[in-house]
Amino acid sequence: MKITPYRIKKGFKYLKHYGPKAFWARLLDRMEPEEVPYDPWFEHFKASEEELQKQKKQEKKFSYRPLISIVVPTFQTPEQYLTEMLESVYHQSYSNWQLCIADASLSEEVKSFVEKFIQEKQESRIIYKHLEENLGIAENTNAGLEMATGEWIGLLDHDDLLAPEALFEMVSKMNQDSEFEVIYSDEDKITEEKKGEWVHSQPHFKPDFSIDLLRSNNYITHFLCVKRNVLEQIDGFRREFDGAQDYDFILRCTEVAKKVGHVSKVLYHWRVHSSSTSDNPMSKKYAYDAGQRAIEEHLKRMGQQGTVTQRKFFGFYQVRYQVQGNPLVSILIPNKDQAKTLKRCIDSIEKSSYQNYEVIIIENNSVEEETFRYYESLCGTKYEEKTDGVSCEGKLPGGQKIQVVTWKKGFNYSAINNFGASFAAGEYFILLNNDIELITKDWIEEMLGNCQRPEVGIVGARLYYPDNTIQHAGIVVGIDGIAANMFPGMKREREGYMHRAATQLNYSAVTAACMMIEKRIFDEVGGLDEVLTVAFNDLDLCLRVGKAGYLVVYNPWVEAYHYESKSRGKEDTKEKVRRFGDEIEFIRTRWITLLKEGDPYYNSNFSLKKCNYALKPYK
């Protein structure tokens, strides 16, 4: 990154806003070397001239060839920016488009630039209208929408660029599924170093539709196409959200659309200059206030009670869902020996602010006397081994019920938890490893508020190694052949690619080392699959819950240390290695389609060898 007086000045502003620690963490995230440099990566993968010519022939074969009206509100746009925007639309490989320019400029310059372009290109698909007054970005865009006659509407800022294949790729997606009514693409940022020479940077490769990520950050932004019938239901943009009018618009569109589609290709180039929010998010603080209000109204429309707060990082929000009622939560903890480890776990649970819980320890073939003495100290009663019932029970200091049930068969994580669940009286289960130490006092409320949402099936946590590096921040399917935790080893204060490690969003899976699931859903999917005795049982559970139509939520506001797998030991025998191989094969067979198609919450442009959102290599 080139050091300039402007960037130095901006850096001091950030330092003042974030404070030294957060500023340093952000700087490390931004300055971390790209494992695969993006600009040459983009040049390698962008559509070649030969591909664009093929697309011009292929578009005639689409069974569905809608007119796409691209709406551009303009205001005092410099000639260079305007001309380059016009050129980017003119050179689209898909031909059935209309460009609607709603110009609120005070002068006649934009009008003359557009008319000159139309005349030079002999282009009838470009429509220009000069607005009588500047009513703000929302109303100016609405004026553009009134000009549009297409079945689909695309939105383009006056100083940005579309990739030449953008409309072709959008229509290709429309032809895949007629229920798509909102479609968005990936994007990047561009700066001009020499005239006509663009440098591409900061690619935003997005997941398929993730409602939790959208409530945390307007990740959809550009390029966005919306079907006309959706627009008719939501009544355009709202001026009271100027600055975040697109965020409010997208939230309302996705609420009513039958289906939201995603093209995992960079089809939009967001121009970087000193006055744009792409380069200087501090330039529009009012926009983030409007974004907060947009999320708050969205939650009300969806009938969900949540408190929205702005995070230090501009444009990112935390939604805290209000717990409904006071349901009993059953915490299931398998345990073998390791009394001190278990005590640390129980002690951290007892600090919880939510009090209506019970603890069920599933005793699994312990041999150390210290373990049984600890059970008795917890229960306040003698431990009497009962393989078909409760071996001891009592009350924690806060009055919560605790019981120890005994599992005498061999180690089978799935069967042990299913066995423990059969003794649970709670409406919600928390699966918790004995080597977990909770950090967050209100962790149960954070998980429960999410889990009570009707669309959510499972909620997971952000886990750390004892050295304050990340152990788990969600699971992606397909990495290393099966699945892997994200951001392992990254420092706790860092947030990673697009703040993903510290943003609530949806993943295909989270670890059962600390996981909440509603009892009803646990029973609906048949609990954990006991074929998977040690590995991948949580992955499989999450995928089955997802297949049943529920979301898996990663909640970074639930934090804990994970002293990983102390009870079970290492995979260091032939029998364990063989068993691990069998479980890999089981997952590959059951979830072969997902493994082939790719994780919908992970962009296909990312590496399947790295766990930090690195680009896939091209050499």
Side-chain angles (χ1 to χ4, degrees):
M1 180 185 293
K2 187 177 179 181
I3 303 299
T4 64
Y6 164 70
R7 285 200 170 108
I8 293 172
K9 183 178 179 182
K10 188 174 73 168
F12 279 114
K13 288 182 179 179
Y14 277 128
L15 179 61
K16 182 178 179 181
H17 172 73
Y18 293 119
K21 187 175 181 181
F23 173 79
W24 180 246
R26 176 180 170 82
L27 188 63
L28 288 175
D29 280 329
R30 290 292 298 271
M31 298 296 291
E32 185 169 327
E34 296 175 300
E35 295 183 43
V36 179
Y38 174 64
D39 189 59
W41 187 98
F42 172 81
E43 292 297 325
H44 179 85
F45 282 108
K46 74 176 183 180
S48 65
E49 189 58 40
E50 182 181 358
E51 288 171 318
L52 293 172
Q53 293 305 316
K54 286 181 180 178
Q55 288 176 5
K56 290 179 180 180
K57 296 177 181 179
Q58 291 171 351
E59 70 140 320
K60 310 296 183 187
K61 300 178 183 178
F62 282 138
S63 59
Y64 179 54
R65 295 185 66 253
L67 174 65
I68 300 178
S69 296
I70 302 169
V71 172
V72 181
T74 57
F75 180 77
Q76 303 294 108
T77 314
E79 181 178 9
Q80 178 191 345
Y81 293 176
L82 183 70
T83 302
E84 288 166 349
M85 179 276 291
L86 291 168
E87 290 280 0
S88 77
V89 176
Y90 178 75
H91 289 291
Q92 289 297 304
S93 59
Y94 179 78
S95 61
N96 196 18
W97 55 263
Q98 172 191 56
L99 178 59
C100 305
I101 299 174
D103 180 29
S105 297
L106 304 175
S107 68
E108 295 284 314
E109 286 188 345
V110 169
K111 180 181 179 180
S112 64
F113 297 154
V114 173
E115 288 179 345
K116 177 184 176 184
F117 188 90
I118 292 173
Q119 186 175 2
E120 287 180 352
K121 303 293 186 184
Q122 295 294 295
E123 183 52 76
S124 62
R125 293 172 293 182
I126 300 176
I127 305 171
Y128 171 87
K129 180 180 180 180
H130 187 266
L131 306 181
E132 292 184 2
E133 59 179 318
N134 179 18
L135 297 175
I137 184 64
E139 291 295 347
N140 293 350
T141 306
N142 285 336
L145 294 176
E146 290 175 3
M147 299 164 61
T149 60
E151 187 177 353
W152 283 78
I153 311 297
L155 299 169
L156 175 62
D157 287 351
H158 65 161
D159 54 354
D160 294 338
L161 306 176
L162 288 182
E165 71 273 24
L167 297 185
F168 177 89
E169 293 292 352
M170 285 291 184
V171 176
S172 179
K173 193 72 177 181
M174 295 170 195
N175 277 269
Q176 290 178 19
D177 192 331
S178 61
E179 291 198 340
F180 285 137
E181 294 183 334
V182 171
I183 302 175
Y184 61 94
S185 77
D186 300 336
E187 62 189 283
D188 66 11
K189 294 183 173 65
I190 53 170
T191 52
E192 190 175 18
E193 294 219 333
K194 298 178 182 177
K195 188 158 182 69
E197 291 186 16
W198 300 102
V199 174
H200 294 260
S201 64
Q202 299 179 54
H204 189 176
F205 290 113
K206 308 166 188 177
D208 287 354
F209 185 60
S210 168
I211 186 59
D212 283 278
L213 180 55
L214 184 58
R215 290 174 182 174
S216 301
N217 167 249
N218 180 14
Y219 81 94
I220 288 180
T221 53
H222 308 297
F223 176 47
L224 178 70
C225 286
V226 179
K227 205 169 185 180
R228 178 168 292 279
N229 68 295
V230 170
L231 286 177
E232 291 169 349
Q233 294 177 69
I234 69 163
D235 196 27
F237 289 81
R238 301 195 291 181
R239 67 184 306 170
E240 61 266 36
F241 292 94
D242 270 354
Q245 74 287 335
D246 54 344
Y247 201 173
D248 171 65
F249 178 79
I250 289 168
L251 285 165
R252 288 184 290 121
C253 286
T254 57
E255 288 166 19
V256 302
K258 288 181 183 176
K259 203 170 182 180
V260 180
H262 166 227
V263 177
S264 56
K265 296 183 179 182
V266 173
L267 303 182
Y268 192 100
H269 307 303
W270 191 358
R271 189 191 298 268
V272 176
H273 51 79
S274 59
S275 62
S276 70
T277 53
S278 62
D279 187 55
N280 184 13
M282 295 185 77
S283 64
K284 290 187 178 180
K285 177 66 171 65
Y286 72 93
Y288 309 118
D289 296 335
Q292 179 177 340
R293 288 188 286 109
I295 302 168
E296 289 168 345
E297 289 210 6
H298 159 73
L299 292 175
K300 289 177 183 176
R301 290 192 299 269
M302 301 303 292
Q304 297 194 354
Q305 296 182 35
T307 302
V308 183
T309 55
Q310 295 185 46
R311 295 181 54 211
K312 278 280 190 180
F313 294 103
F314 291 119
F316 285 81
Y317 304 86
Q318 178 182 359
V319 179
R320 194 169 192 271
Y321 295 92
Q322 185 175 320
V323 174
Q324 305 300 309
N326 189 41
L328 178 65
V329 176
S330 298
I331 303 173
L332 310 178
I333 308 174
N335 185 71
K336 179 180 180 181
D337 292 319
Q338 299 291 333
K340 291 180 180 178
T341 297
L342 178 61
K343 183 179 185 304
R344 180 176 55 213
C345 178
I346 299 294
D347 288 348
S348 70
I349 293 172
E350 290 180 14
K351 296 174 185 176
S352 304
S353 54
Y354 190 82
Q355 293 293 294
N356 194 21
Y357 64 85
E358 64 174 1
V359 176
I360 300 170
I361 299 170
I362 308 110
E363 155 56 30
N364 164 41
N365 297 299
S366 294
V367 295
E368 298 172 359
E369 279 300 317
E370 182 184 5
T371 303
F372 299 103
R373 289 198 301 271
Y374 180 59
Y375 292 157
E376 291 177 350
S377 71
L378 282 173
C379 296
T381 59
K382 185 173 178 57
Y383 175 87
E384 295 180 0
E385 184 178 294
K386 294 181 182 177
T387 57
D388 58 350
V390 178
S391 295
C392 79
E393 64 180 318
K395 298 283 186 180
L396 292 172
Q400 297 85 4
K401 181 180 179 181
I402 184 165
Q403 52 187 323
V404 179
V405 298
T406 303
W407 171 265
K408 289 297 291 181
K409 299 176 185 177
F411 183 84
N412 181 322
Y413 179 85
S414 299
I416 289 170
N417 275 285
N418 290 343
F419 175 69
S422 68
F423 295 91
E427 296 178 52
Y428 295 86
F429 297 162
I430 292 178
L431 308 187
L432 194 68
N433 282 15
N434 64 346
D435 53 0
I436 290 286
E437 180 183 6
L438 282 312
I439 301 170
T440 313
K441 189 175 181 180
D442 61 353
W443 68 292
I444 297 179
E445 294 99 315
E446 282 285 355
M447 299 186 102
L448 187 55
N450 273 296
C451 216
Q452 288 183 318
R453 295 161 52 196
E455 70 273 23
V456 172
I458 286 175
V459 182
R462 188 181 192 190
L463 305 181
Y464 307 112
Y465 291 113
D467 64 357
N468 281 307
T469 60
I470 291 176
Q471 187 262 339
H472 168 271
I475 293 174
V476 166
V477 177
I479 294 181
D480 291 338
I482 298 294
N485 292 353
M486 297 306 292
F487 299 112
M490 188 174 75
K491 290 184 179 298
R492 177 178 173 178
E493 61 269 18
R494 301 266 306 272
E495 301 201 355
Y497 178 79
M498 294 290 175
H499 304 284
R500 292 291 192 263
T503 298
Q504 178 159 305
L505 45 75
N506 303 111
Y507 274 110
S508 289
V510 291
T511 179
C514 183
M515 166 196 292
M516 178 179 280
I517 181 171
E518 187 177 357
K519 179 187 188 304
R520 173 184 60 84
I521 297 174
F522 188 83
D523 292 340
E524 179 184 333
V525 300
L528 291 153
D529 195 316
E530 297 180 11
V531 172
L532 297 166
T533 59
V534 178
F536 309 120
N537 31 56
D538 47 4
L539 170 66
D540 177 72
L541 175 64
C542 288
L543 295 180
R544 285 186 287 118
V545 167
K547 188 176 181 181
Y550 301 100
L551 296 175
V552 175
V553 174
Y554 162 68
N555 185 341
W557 317 114
V558 178
E559 298 177 275
Y561 289 112
H562 187 196
Y563 304 87
E564 193 174 17
S565 302
K566 282 193 173 182
S567 295
R568 179 164 56 84
K570 298 179 180 179
E571 304 292 325
D572 54 2
T573 67
K574 288 183 179 180
E575 180 182 347
K576 288 181 178 180
V577 171
R578 187 183 306 111
R579 184 265 311 148
F580 186 66
D582 290 344
E583 291 177 344
I584 288 175
E585 189 57 35
F586 179 89
I587 291 293
R588 281 181 176 161
T589 301
R590 174 173 281 182
W591 301 107
I592 186 64
T593 301
L594 176 61
L595 287 166
K596 285 182 176 180
E597 293 179 353
D599 191 325
Y601 295 111
Y602 188 68
N603 195 288
S604 59
N605 293 293
F606 290 130
S607 170
L608 292 176
K609 299 295 183 183
K610 303 284 186 176
C611 301
N612 59 353
Y613 289 90
L615 288 174
K616 66 179 180 183
Y618 59 92
K619 293 181 180 179

